[in-house]
Amino acid sequence: MSAIKLKDKQFVPFIAESTIIHKIQELGAVLNKDYDGKCPLFIAILNGAFMFSSDLFKELNIEAEICFIKLASYKGTQSTGHVITAIGLDIDVTGRHVIVLEDIVDTGKTLHSFLPQLHNQQPASLKIATLLNKPDARTHPVQIDYSCITIPNKFVLGYGLDYDGLGRNIREIYQLSE
Ligand code: IMP
């Protein structure tokens, strides 16, 4: 692994592919135990979580469903403020054991705005699983139930995460060079 340049920025190797895969296998084993007999519904948030959710889903040996959504944010009226809606959530979550899959929880703003909407639909349980967690960047409280790798507050890309649309195909995770 060597440094790469994408557009105007330089990135250096940070997390090896083997480490990522190992952490995902560990998470898969935990989920196989925690959700045995519960037929959980995984809701993966696009675009960033596509690679993580695909590799995690392959680790499951229990009955499970997955769907992929996009979150669109728009400015609501003054009373509603910043609103986030889910596009593509075509499965009824009521009474289901739901696990939301994120690539990274950074400020927490996205999940903080979106999770109440899922709660309103009364799932049997609602948990968050993320590949990367940046706790030092948090400005909005979010309870993360399953986290593969905790990282410092630095911009990263690769393994589904992008910089200005690029870098999602890189198999390892790189971080922005100072
Ligand atoms: P939030 O700040 O927790 O709301 O993060 C929202 C989204 O921003 C994440 O799901 C990622 O898609 C993206 N994001 C946050 N931090 C990074 C990063 O370091 N690299 C690439 N994308 C990021």
Side-chain angles (χ1 to χ4, degrees):
M1 288 165 81
S2 52
I4 53 167
K5 192 165 185 232
L6 285 181
K7 298 199 172 171
D8 55 330
K9 301 248 186 295
Q10 184 94 4
F11 294 87
V12 291
F14 182 40
I15 307 170
E17 183 183 18
S18 56
T19 305
I20 300 168
I21 297 301
H22 181 69
K23 292 286 182 186
I24 291 175
Q25 286 169 342
E26 283 182 349
L27 175 58
V30 171
L31 294 173
N32 281 329
K33 274 201 194 134
D34 289 359
Y35 287 90
D36 189 19
K38 294 182 175 171
C39 192
L41 170 63
F42 289 84
I43 300 179
I45 301 183
L46 296 173
N47 293 324
F50 77 95
M51 208 174 277
F52 167 52
S53 41
S54 163
D55 283 343
L56 177 64
F57 208 60
K58 283 184 280 185
E59 296 301 325
L60 300 179
N61 54 30
I62 54 172
E63 259 185 30
E65 280 185 82
I66 190 166
C67 70
F68 295 84
I69 64 165
K70 267 202 134 167
L71 295 180
S73 79
Y74 61 91
K75 257 196 130 46
T77 63
Q78 264 195 337
S79 58
T80 52
H82 183 78
V83 182
I84 286 196
T85 50
I87 301 168
L89 186 54
D90 51 7
I91 299 180
D92 186 7
V93 305
T94 308
R96 297 295 303 268
H97 292 281
V98 173
I99 302 146
V100 174
L101 298 179
E102 261 284 28
D103 53 351
I104 184 167
V105 182
D106 185 46
T107 63
K109 195 173 169 189
T110 311
L111 287 180
H112 186 79
S113 322
F114 172 58
L115 290 178
Q117 297 174 36
L118 277 183
H119 265 299
N120 285 344
Q121 296 179 49
Q122 299 186 318
S125 65
L126 178 56
K127 306 269 174 169
I128 309 299
T130 187
L131 175 68
L132 302 174
N133 182 19
K134 258 193 220 175
D136 295 344
R138 205 79 85 245
T139 55
H140 294 67
V142 176
Q143 187 189 322
I144 298 176
D145 304 281
Y146 304 99
S147 164
C148 291
I149 305 170
T150 298
I151 62 168
N153 188 7
K154 271 201 172 180
F155 189 83
V156 291
L157 66 71
Y159 198 78
L161 291 100
D162 73 307
Y163 167 56
D164 208 8
L166 298 180
R168 295 192 196 276
N169 53 317
I170 297 171
R171 304 174 80 106
E172 307 86 17
I173 290 172
Y174 282 68
Q175 73 177 9
L176 185 61
S177 171
E178 292 301 314

mmCIF file of all heavy atoms in Angstrom, residues 87-133:
data_model
loop_
_atom_site.group_PDB
_atom_site.id
_atom_site.type_symbol
_atom_site.label_atom_id
_atom_site.label_comp_id
_atom_site.label_asym_id
_atom_site.label_seq_id
_atom_site.Cartn_x
_atom_site.Cartn_y
_atom_site.Cartn_z
ATOM 1 N N ILE A 87 -35.413 7.091 0.998
ATOM 2 C CA ILE A 87 -35.909 6.696 -0.318
ATOM 3 C C ILE A 87 -35.636 5.203 -0.488
ATOM 4 O O ILE A 87 -34.495 4.758 -0.300
ATOM 5 C CB ILE A 87 -35.184 7.479 -1.436
ATOM 6 C CG1 ILE A 87 -35.401 8.972 -1.228
ATOM 7 C CG2 ILE A 87 -35.650 7.043 -2.817
ATOM 8 C CD1 ILE A 87 -34.511 9.836 -2.089
ATOM 9 N N GLY A 88 -36.668 4.452 -0.805
ATOM 10 C CA GLY A 88 -36.480 3.035 -1.094
ATOM 11 C C GLY A 88 -36.776 2.103 0.055
ATOM 12 O O GLY A 88 -36.507 0.905 -0.029
ATOM 13 N N LEU A 89 -37.325 2.624 1.143
ATOM 14 C CA LEU A 89 -37.662 1.746 2.277
ATOM 15 C C LEU A 89 -39.019 1.109 1.995
ATOM 16 O O LEU A 89 -40.071 1.611 2.384
ATOM 17 C CB LEU A 89 -37.692 2.555 3.588
ATOM 18 C CG LEU A 89 -37.886 1.752 4.867
ATOM 19 C CD1 LEU A 89 -36.856 0.634 4.982
ATOM 20 C CD2 LEU A 89 -37.797 2.653 6.083
ATOM 21 N N ASP A 90 -38.980 -0.022 1.280
ATOM 22 C CA ASP A 90 -40.229 -0.626 0.809
ATOM 23 C C ASP A 90 -40.635 -1.859 1.612
ATOM 24 O O ASP A 90 -41.490 -2.627 1.205
ATOM 25 C CB ASP A 90 -40.111 -0.963 -0.689
ATOM 26 C CG ASP A 90 -38.855 -1.764 -0.992
ATOM 27 O OD1 ASP A 90 -38.159 -2.172 -0.039
ATOM 28 O OD2 ASP A 90 -38.571 -1.986 -2.183
ATOM 29 N N ILE A 91 -39.995 -2.054 2.773
ATOM 30 C CA ILE A 91 -40.377 -3.175 3.639
ATOM 31 C C ILE A 91 -40.936 -2.591 4.932
ATOM 32 O O ILE A 91 -40.369 -1.645 5.481
ATOM 33 C CB ILE A 91 -39.159 -4.074 3.953
ATOM 34 C CG1 ILE A 91 -38.595 -4.669 2.654
ATOM 35 C CG2 ILE A 91 -39.531 -5.195 4.915
ATOM 36 C CD1 ILE A 91 -37.388 -5.565 2.858
ATOM 37 N N ASP A 92 -42.051 -3.148 5.397
ATOM 38 C CA ASP A 92 -42.665 -2.676 6.635
ATOM 39 C C ASP A 92 -41.780 -3.076 7.825
ATOM 40 O O ASP A 92 -41.497 -4.258 8.021
ATOM 41 C CB ASP A 92 -44.057 -3.319 6.756
ATOM 42 C CG ASP A 92 -44.824 -2.770 7.943
ATOM 43 O OD1 ASP A 92 -44.334 -1.804 8.579
ATOM 44 O OD2 ASP A 92 -45.909 -3.310 8.231
ATOM 45 N N VAL A 93 -41.349 -2.091 8.603
ATOM 46 C CA VAL A 93 -40.436 -2.394 9.716
ATOM 47 C C VAL A 93 -41.183 -2.657 11.019
ATOM 48 O O VAL A 93 -40.571 -3.071 12.009
ATOM 49 C CB VAL A 93 -39.400 -1.267 9.944
ATOM 50 C CG1 VAL A 93 -38.627 -0.974 8.683
ATOM 51 C CG2 VAL A 93 -40.033 -0.008 10.486
ATOM 52 N N THR A 94 -42.493 -2.453 11.014
ATOM 53 C CA THR A 94 -43.273 -2.640 12.242
ATOM 54 C C THR A 94 -43.110 -4.069 12.770
ATOM 55 O O THR A 94 -43.307 -5.031 12.034
ATOM 56 C CB THR A 94 -44.771 -2.354 11.969
ATOM 57 O OG1 THR A 94 -44.869 -1.082 11.350
ATOM 58 C CG2 THR A 94 -45.571 -2.357 13.259
ATOM 59 N N GLY A 95 -42.715 -4.164 14.022
ATOM 60 C CA GLY A 95 -42.563 -5.480 14.660
ATOM 61 C C GLY A 95 -41.306 -6.224 14.255
ATOM 62 O O GLY A 95 -41.082 -7.353 14.702
ATOM 63 N N ARG A 96 -40.462 -5.615 13.414
ATOM 64 C CA ARG A 96 -39.245 -6.292 12.954
ATOM 65 C C ARG A 96 -38.046 -5.921 13.826
ATOM 66 O O ARG A 96 -37.999 -4.848 14.412
ATOM 67 C CB ARG A 96 -38.915 -5.881 11.497
ATOM 68 C CG ARG A 96 -39.957 -6.266 10.476
ATOM 69 C CD ARG A 96 -40.102 -7.757 10.318
ATOM 70 N NE ARG A 96 -38.852 -8.422 9.960
ATOM 71 C CZ ARG A 96 -38.456 -8.655 8.702
ATOM 72 N NH1 ARG A 96 -39.202 -8.261 7.694
ATOM 73 N NH2 ARG A 96 -37.320 -9.299 8.479
ATOM 74 N N HIS A 97 -37.074 -6.825 13.880
ATOM 75 C CA HIS A 97 -35.798 -6.518 14.510
ATOM 76 C C HIS A 97 -34.916 -5.869 13.439
ATOM 77 O O HIS A 97 -34.493 -6.533 12.497
ATOM 78 C CB HIS A 97 -35.149 -7.793 15.055
ATOM 79 C CG HIS A 97 -35.916 -8.355 16.208
ATOM 80 N ND1 HIS A 97 -35.820 -7.833 17.476
ATOM 81 C CD2 HIS A 97 -36.811 -9.370 16.281
ATOM 82 C CE1 HIS A 97 -36.617 -8.508 18.293
ATOM 83 N NE2 HIS A 97 -37.231 -9.449 17.590
ATOM 84 N N VAL A 98 -34.682 -4.564 13.602
ATOM 85 C CA VAL A 98 -34.021 -3.778 12.556
ATOM 86 C C VAL A 98 -32.591 -3.437 12.971
ATOM 87 O O VAL A 98 -32.322 -3.066 14.119
ATOM 88 C CB VAL A 98 -34.807 -2.471 12.293
ATOM 89 C CG1 VAL A 98 -34.051 -1.563 11.330
ATOM 90 C CG2 VAL A 98 -36.199 -2.786 11.742
ATOM 91 N N ILE A 99 -31.671 -3.576 12.019
ATOM 92 C CA ILE A 99 -30.283 -3.142 12.225
ATOM 93 C C ILE A 99 -29.923 -2.211 11.073
ATOM 94 O O ILE A 99 -29.937 -2.619 9.910
ATOM 95 C CB ILE A 99 -29.313 -4.337 12.237
ATOM 96 C CG1 ILE A 99 -29.720 -5.325 13.330
ATOM 97 C CG2 ILE A 99 -27.872 -3.879 12.458
ATOM 98 C CD1 ILE A 99 -29.453 -6.740 12.969
ATOM 99 N N VAL A 100 -29.628 -0.970 11.407
ATOM 100 C CA VAL A 100 -29.228 0.002 10.393
ATOM 101 C C VAL A 100 -27.727 -0.125 10.170
ATOM 102 O O VAL A 100 -26.944 -0.157 11.127
ATOM 103 C CB VAL A 100 -29.583 1.443 10.842
ATOM 104 C CG1 VAL A 100 -29.036 2.475 9.857
ATOM 105 C CG2 VAL A 100 -31.098 1.594 10.982
ATOM 106 N N LEU A 101 -27.337 -0.222 8.903
ATOM 107 C CA LEU A 101 -25.913 -0.370 8.564
ATOM 108 C C LEU A 101 -25.366 0.915 7.978
ATOM 109 O O LEU A 101 -25.856 1.413 6.958
ATOM 110 C CB LEU A 101 -25.730 -1.506 7.536
ATOM 111 C CG LEU A 101 -26.159 -2.900 7.988
ATOM 112 C CD1 LEU A 101 -25.947 -3.903 6.851
ATOM 113 C CD2 LEU A 101 -25.388 -3.335 9.234
ATOM 114 N N GLU A 102 -24.329 1.443 8.612
ATOM 115 C CA GLU A 102 -23.676 2.682 8.166
ATOM 116 C C GLU A 102 -22.214 2.401 7.828
ATOM 117 O O GLU A 102 -21.586 1.529 8.441
ATOM 118 C CB GLU A 102 -23.718 3.719 9.297
ATOM 119 C CG GLU A 102 -24.820 4.750 9.163
ATOM 120 C CD GLU A 102 -24.549 5.823 8.115
ATOM 121 O OE1 GLU A 102 -23.820 5.565 7.138
ATOM 122 O OE2 GLU A 102 -25.084 6.935 8.276
ATOM 123 N N ASP A 103 -21.662 3.165 6.891
ATOM 124 C CA ASP A 103 -20.228 3.064 6.624
ATOM 125 C C ASP A 103 -19.431 3.712 7.747
ATOM 126 O O ASP A 103 -18.444 3.182 8.235
ATOM 127 C CB ASP A 103 -19.872 3.700 5.266
ATOM 128 C CG ASP A 103 -20.391 5.132 5.117
ATOM 129 O OD1 ASP A 103 -21.177 5.606 5.966
ATOM 130 O OD2 ASP A 103 -20.005 5.786 4.127
ATOM 131 N N ILE A 104 -19.899 4.904 8.179
ATOM 132 C CA ILE A 104 -19.173 5.644 9.210
ATOM 133 C C ILE A 104 -20.161 6.534 9.959
ATOM 134 O O ILE A 104 -21.082 7.080 9.360
ATOM 135 C CB ILE A 104 -18.036 6.478 8.566
ATOM 136 C CG1 ILE A 104 -17.187 7.184 9.621
ATOM 137 C CG2 ILE A 104 -18.551 7.490 7.567
ATOM 138 C CD1 ILE A 104 -15.870 7.745 9.054
ATOM 139 N N VAL A 105 -19.998 6.604 11.262
ATOM 140 C CA VAL A 105 -20.751 7.596 12.030
ATOM 141 C C VAL A 105 -19.757 8.667 12.428
ATOM 142 O O VAL A 105 -18.788 8.409 13.141
ATOM 143 C CB VAL A 105 -21.461 6.994 13.261
ATOM 144 C CG1 VAL A 105 -22.266 8.082 13.967
ATOM 145 C CG2 VAL A 105 -22.376 5.853 12.845
ATOM 146 N N ASP A 106 -19.993 9.858 11.895
ATOM 147 C CA ASP A 106 -19.062 10.974 12.032
ATOM 148 C C ASP A 106 -19.674 11.980 13.022
ATOM 149 O O ASP A 106 -19.560 11.799 14.233
ATOM 150 C CB ASP A 106 -18.874 11.553 10.620
ATOM 151 C CG ASP A 106 -17.836 12.648 10.533
ATOM 152 O OD1 ASP A 106 -16.747 12.476 11.093
ATOM 153 O OD2 ASP A 106 -18.110 13.676 9.901
ATOM 154 N N THR A 107 -20.363 13.008 12.533
ATOM 155 C CA THR A 107 -21.005 13.954 13.459
ATOM 156 C C THR A 107 -22.219 13.310 14.147
ATOM 157 O O THR A 107 -22.617 13.725 15.230
ATOM 158 C CB THR A 107 -21.503 15.207 12.718
ATOM 159 O OG1 THR A 107 -22.503 14.824 11.781
ATOM 160 C CG2 THR A 107 -20.365 15.906 12.003
ATOM 161 N N GLY A 108 -22.809 12.304 13.503
ATOM 162 C CA GLY A 108 -24.010 11.667 14.037
ATOM 163 C C GLY A 108 -25.292 12.350 13.565
ATOM 164 O O GLY A 108 -26.395 11.889 13.851
ATOM 165 N N LYS A 109 -25.124 13.432 12.806
ATOM 166 C CA LYS A 109 -26.283 14.230 12.392
ATOM 167 C C LYS A 109 -27.297 13.421 11.567
ATOM 168 O O LYS A 109 -28.504 13.501 11.782
ATOM 169 C CB LYS A 109 -25.765 15.422 11.566
ATOM 170 C CG LYS A 109 -26.754 16.509 11.359
ATOM 171 C CD LYS A 109 -26.081 17.693 10.689
ATOM 172 C CE LYS A 109 -27.150 18.668 10.238
ATOM 173 N NZ LYS A 109 -26.619 19.726 9.402
ATOM 174 N N THR A 110 -26.770 12.629 10.626
ATOM 175 C CA THR A 110 -27.651 11.860 9.736
ATOM 176 C C THR A 110 -28.532 10.904 10.527
ATOM 177 O O THR A 110 -29.760 10.906 10.396
ATOM 178 C CB THR A 110 -26.806 11.052 8.727
ATOM 179 O OG1 THR A 110 -25.847 11.921 8.142
ATOM 180 C CG2 THR A 110 -27.657 10.416 7.665
ATOM 181 N N LEU A 111 -27.910 10.084 11.365
ATOM 182 C CA LEU A 111 -28.691 9.094 12.109
ATOM 183 C C LEU A 111 -29.580 9.763 13.145
ATOM 184 O O LEU A 111 -30.711 9.334 13.376
ATOM 185 C CB LEU A 111 -27.760 8.085 12.787
ATOM 186 C CG LEU A 111 -27.097 7.082 11.842
ATOM 187 C CD1 LEU A 111 -26.196 6.141 12.613
ATOM 188 C CD2 LEU A 111 -28.138 6.291 11.058
ATOM 189 N N HIS A 112 -29.073 10.820 13.754
ATOM 190 C CA HIS A 112 -29.852 11.535 14.770
ATOM 191 C C HIS A 112 -31.169 12.038 14.176
ATOM 192 O O HIS A 112 -32.209 12.006 14.832
ATOM 193 C CB HIS A 112 -29.023 12.707 15.308
ATOM 194 C CG HIS A 112 -29.662 13.430 16.439
ATOM 195 N ND1 HIS A 112 -29.627 12.945 17.734
ATOM 196 C CD2 HIS A 112 -30.368 14.586 16.479
ATOM 197 C CE1 HIS A 112 -30.280 13.786 18.519
ATOM 198 N NE2 HIS A 112 -30.730 14.786 17.788
ATOM 199 N N SER A 113 -31.138 12.478 12.916
ATOM 200 C CA SER A 113 -32.362 12.974 12.283
ATOM 201 C C SER A 113 -33.234 11.840 11.769
ATOM 202 O O SER A 113 -34.451 11.950 11.751
ATOM 203 C CB SER A 113 -32.042 13.865 11.073
ATOM 204 O OG SER A 113 -30.938 14.650 11.308
ATOM 205 N N PHE A 114 -32.611 10.762 11.330
ATOM 206 C CA PHE A 114 -33.372 9.695 10.654
ATOM 207 C C PHE A 114 -33.978 8.659 11.616
ATOM 208 O O PHE A 114 -35.094 8.179 11.399
ATOM 209 C CB PHE A 114 -32.457 9.007 9.635
ATOM 210 C CG PHE A 114 -33.055 7.788 9.010
ATOM 211 C CD1 PHE A 114 -34.258 7.859 8.311
ATOM 212 C CD2 PHE A 114 -32.423 6.548 9.115
ATOM 213 C CE1 PHE A 114 -34.818 6.731 7.738
ATOM 214 C CE2 PHE A 114 -32.987 5.423 8.544
ATOM 215 C CZ PHE A 114 -34.181 5.508 7.859
ATOM 216 N N LEU A 115 -33.258 8.329 12.690
ATOM 217 C CA LEU A 115 -33.708 7.233 13.557
ATOM 218 C C LEU A 115 -35.105 7.428 14.162
ATOM 219 O O LEU A 115 -35.871 6.461 14.250
ATOM 220 C CB LEU A 115 -32.680 6.968 14.669
ATOM 221 C CG LEU A 115 -31.377 6.341 14.162
ATOM 222 C CD1 LEU A 115 -30.392 6.150 15.312
ATOM 223 C CD2 LEU A 115 -31.629 5.014 13.460
ATOM 224 N N PRO A 116 -35.471 8.663 14.573
ATOM 225 C CA PRO A 116 -36.824 8.828 15.117
ATOM 226 C C PRO A 116 -37.909 8.386 14.139
ATOM 227 O O PRO A 116 -38.948 7.848 14.547
ATOM 228 C CB PRO A 116 -36.907 10.334 15.395
ATOM 229 C CG PRO A 116 -35.490 10.752 15.610
ATOM 230 C CD PRO A 116 -34.678 9.896 14.681
ATOM 231 N N GLN A 117 -37.669 8.565 12.834
ATOM 232 C CA GLN A 117 -38.669 8.134 11.845
ATOM 233 C C GLN A 117 -38.840 6.619 11.851
ATOM 234 O O GLN A 117 -39.935 6.101 11.664
ATOM 235 C CB GLN A 117 -38.256 8.580 10.443
ATOM 236 C CG GLN A 117 -38.197 10.081 10.295
ATOM 237 C CD GLN A 117 -37.651 10.484 8.934
ATOM 238 O OE1 GLN A 117 -37.906 9.831 7.930
ATOM 239 N NE2 GLN A 117 -36.889 11.560 8.902
ATOM 240 N N LEU A 118 -37.732 5.915 12.043
ATOM 241 C CA LEU A 118 -37.830 4.447 12.117
ATOM 242 C C LEU A 118 -38.512 4.025 13.422
ATOM 243 O O LEU A 118 -39.346 3.124 13.436
ATOM 244 C CB LEU A 118 -36.442 3.816 12.044
ATOM 245 C CG LEU A 118 -35.821 3.617 10.666
ATOM 246 C CD1 LEU A 118 -34.489 2.903 10.803
ATOM 247 C CD2 LEU A 118 -36.747 2.826 9.752
ATOM 248 N N HIS A 119 -38.145 4.691 14.523
ATOM 249 C CA HIS A 119 -38.769 4.399 15.823
ATOM 250 C C HIS A 119 -40.280 4.543 15.753
ATOM 251 O O HIS A 119 -41.019 3.742 16.324
ATOM 252 C CB HIS A 119 -38.228 5.357 16.892
ATOM 253 C CG HIS A 119 -37.078 4.790 17.666
ATOM 254 N ND1 HIS A 119 -37.193 3.646 18.432
ATOM 255 C CD2 HIS A 119 -35.802 5.206 17.795
ATOM 256 C CE1 HIS A 119 -36.033 3.380 18.981
ATOM 257 N NE2 HIS A 119 -35.161 4.297 18.616
ATOM 258 N N ASN A 120 -40.725 5.580 15.029
ATOM 259 C CA ASN A 120 -42.169 5.840 14.912
ATOM 260 C C ASN A 120 -42.920 4.682 14.280
ATOM 261 O O ASN A 120 -44.113 4.516 14.492
ATOM 262 C CB ASN A 120 -42.425 7.106 14.073
ATOM 263 C CG ASN A 120 -42.118 8.342 14.859
ATOM 264 O OD1 ASN A 120 -41.996 8.287 16.089
ATOM 265 N ND2 ASN A 120 -41.952 9.468 14.170
ATOM 266 N N GLN A 121 -42.201 3.894 13.480
ATOM 267 C CA GLN A 121 -42.854 2.759 12.816
ATOM 268 C C GLN A 121 -42.866 1.515 13.696
ATOM 269 O O GLN A 121 -43.243 0.434 13.259
ATOM 270 C CB GLN A 121 -42.169 2.467 11.485
ATOM 271 C CG GLN A 121 -42.322 3.619 10.499
ATOM 272 C CD GLN A 121 -41.611 3.333 9.183
ATOM 273 O OE1 GLN A 121 -41.774 2.266 8.598
ATOM 274 N NE2 GLN A 121 -40.811 4.272 8.714
ATOM 275 N N GLN A 122 -42.434 1.682 14.932
ATOM 276 C CA GLN A 122 -42.494 0.653 15.966
ATOM 277 C C GLN A 122 -41.875 -0.697 15.583
ATOM 278 O O GLN A 122 -42.558 -1.725 15.545
ATOM 279 C CB GLN A 122 -43.941 0.468 16.405
ATOM 280 C CG GLN A 122 -44.479 1.771 16.985
ATOM 281 C CD GLN A 122 -45.859 1.653 17.571
ATOM 282 O OE1 GLN A 122 -46.731 0.998 16.983
ATOM 283 N NE2 GLN A 122 -46.061 2.260 18.707
ATOM 284 N N PRO A 123 -40.580 -0.685 15.301
ATOM 285 C CA PRO A 123 -39.890 -1.966 15.124
ATOM 286 C C PRO A 123 -39.805 -2.694 16.476
ATOM 287 O O PRO A 123 -39.909 -2.045 17.525
ATOM 288 C CB PRO A 123 -38.490 -1.546 14.652
ATOM 289 C CG PRO A 123 -38.311 -0.151 15.151
ATOM 290 C CD PRO A 123 -39.670 0.475 15.193
ATOM 291 N N ALA A 124 -39.625 -4.005 16.441
ATOM 292 C CA ALA A 124 -39.479 -4.768 17.695
ATOM 293 C C ALA A 124 -38.202 -4.343 18.406
ATOM 294 O O ALA A 124 -38.136 -4.282 19.633
ATOM 295 C CB ALA A 124 -39.459 -6.268 17.394
ATOM 296 N N SER A 125 -37.157 -4.045 17.620
ATOM 297 C CA SER A 125 -35.911 -3.495 18.169
ATOM 298 C C SER A 125 -35.221 -2.722 17.060
ATOM 299 O O SER A 125 -35.482 -2.960 15.875
ATOM 300 C CB SER A 125 -34.997 -4.608 18.708
ATOM 301 O OG SER A 125 -34.569 -5.444 17.655
ATOM 302 N N LEU A 126 -34.362 -1.802 17.463
ATOM 303 C CA LEU A 126 -33.674 -0.963 16.474
ATOM 304 C C LEU A 126 -32.236 -0.739 16.930
ATOM 305 O O LEU A 126 -32.001 -0.144 17.985
ATOM 306 C CB LEU A 126 -34.408 0.379 16.332
ATOM 307 C CG LEU A 126 -33.812 1.414 15.374
ATOM 308 C CD1 LEU A 126 -33.657 0.851 13.975
ATOM 309 C CD2 LEU A 126 -34.690 2.660 15.351
ATOM 310 N N LYS A 127 -31.285 -1.257 16.168
ATOM 311 C CA LYS A 127 -29.867 -1.136 16.535
ATOM 312 C C LYS A 127 -29.085 -0.550 15.357
ATOM 313 O O LYS A 127 -29.529 -0.614 14.209
ATOM 314 C CB LYS A 127 -29.280 -2.507 16.880
ATOM 315 C CG LYS A 127 -30.057 -3.274 17.938
ATOM 316 C CD LYS A 127 -29.547 -2.986 19.310
ATOM 317 C CE LYS A 127 -30.447 -3.659 20.319
ATOM 318 N NZ LYS A 127 -30.005 -3.710 21.647
ATOM 319 N N ILE A 128 -27.911 -0.033 15.696
ATOM 320 C CA ILE A 128 -27.030 0.556 14.686
ATOM 321 C C ILE A 128 -25.741 -0.252 14.616
ATOM 322 O O ILE A 128 -25.126 -0.524 15.658
ATOM 323 C CB ILE A 128 -26.620 1.998 15.079
ATOM 324 C CG1 ILE A 128 -27.832 2.846 15.425
ATOM 325 C CG2 ILE A 128 -25.783 2.638 13.969
ATOM 326 C CD1 ILE A 128 -28.802 3.014 14.320
ATOM 327 N N ALA A 129 -25.351 -0.603 13.395
ATOM 328 C CA ALA A 129 -24.041 -1.228 13.195
ATOM 329 C C ALA A 129 -23.266 -0.377 12.192
ATOM 330 O O ALA A 129 -23.789 -0.026 11.134
ATOM 331 C CB ALA A 129 -24.193 -2.649 12.664
ATOM 332 N N THR A 130 -22.033 -0.037 12.543
ATOM 333 C CA THR A 130 -21.229 0.776 11.638
ATOM 334 C C THR A 130 -19.850 0.160 11.447
ATOM 335 O O THR A 130 -19.312 -0.465 12.374
ATOM 336 C CB THR A 130 -21.102 2.227 12.164
ATOM 337 O OG1 THR A 130 -20.444 3.038 11.185
ATOM 338 C CG2 THR A 130 -20.334 2.312 13.464
ATOM 339 N N LEU A 131 -19.305 0.334 10.242
ATOM 340 C CA LEU A 131 -17.946 -0.148 10.008
ATOM 341 C C LEU A 131 -16.959 0.724 10.784
ATOM 342 O O LEU A 131 -16.108 0.220 11.501
ATOM 343 C CB LEU A 131 -17.620 -0.091 8.509
ATOM 344 C CG LEU A 131 -16.181 -0.448 8.155
ATOM 345 C CD1 LEU A 131 -15.906 -1.921 8.426
ATOM 346 C CD2 LEU A 131 -15.873 -0.117 6.703
ATOM 347 N N LEU A 132 -17.114 2.045 10.638
ATOM 348 C CA LEU A 132 -16.182 2.976 11.287
ATOM 349 C C LEU A 132 -16.935 3.897 12.226
ATOM 350 O O LEU A 132 -18.053 4.314 11.936
ATOM 351 C CB LEU A 132 -15.460 3.818 10.223
ATOM 352 C CG LEU A 132 -14.662 3.062 9.169
ATOM 353 C CD1 LEU A 132 -14.135 4.023 8.116
ATOM 354 C CD2 LEU A 132 -13.508 2.291 9.797
ATOM 355 N N ASN A 133 -16.287 4.221 13.321
ATOM 356 C CA ASN A 133 -16.877 5.140 14.287
ATOM 357 C C ASN A 133 -15.850 6.216 14.613
ATOM 358 O O ASN A 133 -14.712 5.909 14.944
ATOM 359 C CB ASN A 133 -17.261 4.365 15.554
ATOM 360 C CG ASN A 133 -17.930 5.254 16.587
ATOM 361 O OD1 ASN A 133 -18.429 6.327 16.260
ATOM 362 N ND2 ASN A 133 -17.937 4.809 17.828
#
